[in-house]
Amino acid sequence: MANKLLYPRNTATRQVVDLSGMWKFCFDKASDGEKKGYVNGLPAAAPDMPVPASFADFFTDKYSKEYTGDFWYSTVFFADPAWKDRDVDIRFFAAAHEATVYVNGKKVGEHCGGFLPFTCNLNDVLRYGKANTVAVKLNNELSCATLPCGEYKVLKDGTKVTTPYFDFFNYSGLIRPVKLVITPKISIVDITLKHVLKDGGAVTEYSVETSGEGEVWLSVYDEDGVKVAEASGVSGEAEISGVHLWQPLNAYLYTFVFEVYSDGNLSDSYPLEVGIRTVEIKGNRILVNGSPVYFKGFGKHEDAPVSGRGFNLPYIKRDFELMKWIGANSFRTSHYPYSEEIYQLADREGFLVIDELPAVGMLVSTRNAVDAATGAKVEPFFEKEIVQTVTIERHLSQLGEMITRDKNHACVVAWSLLNEPDTVGSDKAVGYFERLFDRCRELDVQNRPRSFAHIIQSRPDRCKCTHLCDFIMLNRYYGWYLKSGLEIVDAFDALDGELDKWEKTGKPVMFTEYGTDNMQGLTRLPSVMWAENYQVEYLEGYHKVFDKHPCVMGEQVWNFADFQTTEGLIRCDGNKKGIFTRYREPKMAAFELKRRWDSLPLNYKG
Ligand code: GCB
């Protein structure tokens, strides 16, 4: 049965049962959990583990924290006999990175990719009126065929050690909620919307996929609950005159209520909050509702103390408050699609989101940007056969899942299909990228701009794939990984020189990463690397260069907050490029950014 990605909601016709809480958990170092009967549930003595959360930071020993391999979760739920005539699905909001799901000992589904939801239908395996067991086998090993990419080595005692090709901790587990979704047999499975503005009004073209034959009705309500439009049919148009548009930091959300009737009776009803806006590119500008916008904000991570990459609503709320305080209007979901609730809040707050796939580490180097910046030899990633056969298929299917999940969010204004891939080392990157960019265009009826984040080697004269991008995303660290310290003056010059070349492409250029590591509380006169005031000087220098170049239409600092990484020589308890600490307190640079961003209008350079 099809993967049902529509966000689960309780309505008059549907029910959602949250399975969050303590589950049973265990590692499966020998990969023989099936033989041990784990498919029927873990032993009562197995340790408890919170869901949702990543498991790593609960442990006090290194081997558990860093565990790589197979591991299991299980819990028990009750199936209401009233669900017998309905469809019952279990929805994993994210299971990192590979999952096989068993209910009452029977395999009901599997999924690859740790940052997008999937559902398994349970109709044939449930015991109604009784306890039911769900057991999930997960695996968090990395390879060139996983998104994100990496590898692992095996120590003499058999311990597997993860070596990510990316710069964030390989947090894994049931990192987002798990819910049962109970829907009528004839229900709404998918909704697709596209908005066209005309004469002060808007026409929303819609199409609805249902799980059976039925009559579809759409009613549109404004924020006061007044009905402003209606339509019928599985596809059609809803016209709103005098439309209240969704604008950056000034959101307005209509409620689109879709209903399916079968033999004249209401079978299903699903409400969707919808911001009406358009996105397009004209010359070197990105336009929202026909007007140019200047992006101010961050590359972020889903990362917090103790819960790791686990879904954490209090941190989500705090992050939005901090972004509003500092004058930001946008962020990139670096380096994976985030929790759905983040996009819902971004819709409500009017944030512009660049939605990114977990295609990070597609450059074979354990130190990623650092090796590349120093010119160290890197093996061409796209030459590998597995990449051209397995990775590409997974990449395309995760692209499909991300677009299906996120396509109706007003906040999502662009797609980032990869972060810092090797677009220089091999011509084979081109065919791979073409398939991705073409598929994205086919799937997104809103035709949002597509791009990938360019690593320093991917310069205008060398990058083989830039021509596919609708706008250009640059990650640059002149003044940190190269030309740092006293050389910073040359760093700004180098940045300036590079931008002269990008300017000639005629496309909008957005900085999706720039920043320096620093220790909170360390200030030095004169400044030194790692001091908070060095970060401020670096940002000021970059901003002067940005202001000089008309093509630069966005600045997203790396990173919003300090975040955890694999331990190593260049990381002191994680990456410290945060403008806020990991506990979300401001560093010195936060005040400098606030000063600048509060003074830049939305249509800066418009
Ligand atoms: C990058 C990566 C990002 C790293 C960052 C850094 O280019 O895209 O994931 O965290 O550099 O701080 O080195």
Side-chain angles (χ1 to χ4, degrees):
M1 199 171 281
N3 207 4
K4 298 178 181 169
L5 297 189
L6 210 56
Y7 188 81
R9 297 189 183 284
N10 274 303
T11 72
T13 58
R14 343 177 118 220
Q15 192 184 343
V16 182
V17 178
D18 192 352
L19 299 182
S20 300
M22 282 297 188
W23 289 42
K24 292 286 163 196
F25 178 84
C26 87
F27 295 127
D28 183 10
K29 205 169 165 181
S31 294
D32 61 358
E34 281 94 345
K35 254 195 255 160
K36 287 183 178 143
Y38 292 173
V39 296
N40 296 306
L42 297 178
D48 290 329
M49 181 60 72
V51 172
S54 39
F55 66 76
D57 289 349
F58 299 121
F59 289 103
T60 52
D61 72 288
K62 261 195 173 190
Y63 291 96
S64 303
K65 176 183 171 186
E66 304 271 348
Y67 179 82
T68 301
D70 289 342
F71 53 102
W72 291 74
Y73 285 80
S74 79
T75 196
V76 172
F77 63 88
F78 180 81
D80 190 329
W83 299 347
K84 264 188 192 160
D85 305 326
R86 298 162 73 78
D87 277 329
V88 182
D89 293 274
I90 187 165
R91 188 183 199 268
F92 291 84
F93 285 42
H97 297 290
E98 240 180 279
T100 313
V101 184
Y102 301 87
V103 171
N104 298 328
K106 294 188 194 86
K107 182 172 158 184
V108 291
E110 57 196 343
H111 186 257
C112 185
F115 303 97
L116 287 157
F118 64 97
T119 58
C120 312
N121 184 265
L122 305 186
N123 293 359
D124 296 336
V125 296
L126 283 184
R127 296 179 190 138
Y128 296 97
K130 293 195 173 124
N132 290 258
T133 305
V134 52
V136 192
K137 177 187 178 183
L138 287 129
N139 181 282
N140 63 353
E141 288 162 15
L142 302 174
S143 72
C144 286
T146 56
L147 278 73
C149 305
E151 59 189 72
Y152 64 86
K153 56 184 169 205
V154 184
L155 303 183
K156 282 196 183 124
D157 67 357
T159 303
K160 291 176 185 165
V161 182
T162 298
T163 318
Y165 295 160
F166 52 86
D167 183 40
F168 51 91
F169 193 86
N170 188 34
Y171 282 121
S172 31
L174 295 180
I175 57 174
R176 294 184 193 153
V178 183
K179 295 185 184 180
L180 297 176
V181 187
I182 300 101
T183 46
K185 288 284 180 201
I186 298 177
S187 68
I188 295 156
V189 180
D190 192 20
I191 297 165
T192 308
L193 305 176
K194 180 187 174 181
H195 313 291
V196 182
L197 309 187
K198 57 170 197 194
D199 314 327
V203 173
T204 300
E205 299 163 10
Y206 73 89
S207 66
V208 176
E209 192 189 322
T210 57
S211 62
E213 285 284 301
E215 236 179 78
V216 174
W217 285 89
L218 164 63
S219 305
V220 180
Y221 299 90
D222 67 13
E223 286 189 353
D224 297 321
V226 176
K227 196 195 254 194
V228 291
E230 58 187 359
S232 64
V234 286
S235 62
E237 293 184 351
E239 183 160 0
I240 305 174
S241 52
V243 68
H244 202 138
L245 292 176
W246 183 96
Q247 299 281 12
L249 296 186
N250 187 12
Y252 190 93
L253 297 179
Y254 289 92
T255 303
F256 281 51
V257 179
F258 291 91
E259 291 176 326
V260 193
Y261 287 83
S262 163
D263 298 327
N265 299 315
L266 178 68
S267 179
D268 194 16
S269 160
Y270 187 88
L272 193 65
E273 287 199 314
V274 178
I276 296 179
R277 57 99 192 91
T278 57
V279 187
E280 71 196 298
I281 290 193
K282 268 211 181 116
N284 62 11
R285 288 284 162 269
I286 295 189
L287 312 182
V288 174
N289 301 326
S291 303
V293 293
Y294 191 82
F295 286 61
K296 304 173 279 183
F298 300 98
K300 290 184 91 265
H301 264 297
E302 288 188 287
D303 174 278
V306 187
S307 54
R309 189 143 297 118
F311 175 62
N312 194 322
L313 267 182
Y315 268 79
I316 290 173
K317 174 71 181 162
R318 172 77 176 168
D319 286 5
F320 272 92
E321 292 307 316
L322 291 176
M323 286 193 289
K324 287 192 290 181
W325 169 81
I326 206 169
N329 62 13
S330 68
F331 60 92
R332 173 172 63 125
T333 69
S334 41
H335 293 308
Y336 36 82
Y338 288 177
S339 300
E340 289 147 280
E341 294 75 4
I342 294 178
Y343 302 77
Q344 290 163 9
L345 205 48
D347 277 347
R348 177 51 71 196
E349 298 284 3
F351 272 78
L352 304 161
V353 174
I354 302 175
D355 207 0
E356 184 160 280
L357 280 171
V360 51
M362 296 194 157
L363 181 149
V364 182
S365 156
T366 49
R367 291 195 304 151
N368 199 330
V370 187
D371 277 357
T374 55
K377 179 101 187 87
V378 288
E379 192 187 341
F381 182 85
F382 294 97
E383 288 281 322
K384 292 172 179 293
E385 201 193 321
I386 192 166
V387 170
Q388 295 292 344
T389 51
V390 182
T391 317
I392 180 70
E393 293 307 328
R394 292 180 175 176
H395 204 152
L396 289 168
S397 80
Q398 291 186 38
L399 172 66
E401 289 171 14
M402 176 174 80
I403 293 180
T404 306
R405 191 192 75 158
D406 297 339
K407 63 190 165 187
N408 295 322
H409 285 291
C411 66
V412 175
V413 292
W415 308 110
S416 168
L417 307 185
L418 314 93
N419 181 67
E420 300 195 338
D422 175 6
T423 58
V424 173
S426 162
D427 287 340
K428 290 207 172 142
V430 184
Y432 186 107
F433 278 53
E434 280 171 352
R435 288 187 67 190
L436 278 175
F437 277 72
D438 289 351
R439 181 69 63 86
C440 186
R441 183 52 26 105
E442 261 166 50
L443 294 177
D444 179 22
V445 299
Q446 292 193 12
N447 276 344
R448 291 168 176 94
R450 307 150 298 169
S451 191
F452 64 88
H454 291 56
I455 194 169
I456 185 117
Q457 304 149 294
S458 302
R459 299 200 191 142
D461 45 342
R462 298 178 71 204
C463 181
K464 298 176 194 294
C465 301
T466 297
H467 63 284
L468 297 167
C469 296
D470 300 312
F471 69 110
I472 289 153
M473 293 168 34
L474 298 182
N475 296 356
R476 290 296 178 266
Y477 291 96
Y478 299 108
W480 186 249
Y481 292 123
L482 66 169
K483 300 189 193 298
S484 52
L486 194 56
E487 280 185 67
I488 200 165
V489 186
D490 287 357
F492 301 141
D493 239 35
L495 180 71
D496 196 18
E498 197 192 326
L499 274 174
D500 285 340
K501 294 189 188 135
W502 286 114
E503 196 94 57
K504 294 197 180 105
T505 63
K507 295 184 181 183
V509 173
M510 169 138 34
F511 278 79
T512 38
E513 288 185 25
Y514 62 109
T516 71
D517 286 88
N518 60 96
M519 293 305 294
Q520 190 196 22
L522 182 75
T523 55
R524 286 293 178 269
L525 203 60
S527 69
V528 289
M529 291 175 76
W530 290 89
E532 288 194 44
N533 50 323
Y534 185 84
Q535 188 184 32
V536 172
E537 288 167 15
Y538 168 104
L539 292 175
E540 283 171 343
Y542 267 65
H543 294 152
K544 272 195 198 126
V545 180
F546 296 172
D547 290 344
K548 236 182 99 179
H549 288 272
C551 67
V552 176
M553 41 62 63
E555 48 194 66
Q556 294 189 330
V557 177
W558 191 255
N559 187 284
F560 171 75
D562 294 345
F563 59 92
Q564 199 47 261
T565 64
T566 306
E567 59 189 329
L569 283 175
I570 60 161
R571 296 287 173 254
C572 177
D573 187 31
N575 188 309
K576 292 283 188 281
K577 293 195 185 67
I579 296 302
F580 297 94
T581 66
R582 204 175 184 217
Y583 290 91
R584 276 47 174 190
E585 292 303 337
K587 297 188 196 165
M588 194 185 272
F591 300 95
E592 164 56 21
L593 281 176
K594 178 170 171 55
R595 190 198 56 72
R596 173 175 170 81
W597 287 348
D598 278 348
S599 72
L600 291 187
L602 179 65
N603 65 352
Y604 179 50
K605 296 188 188 172

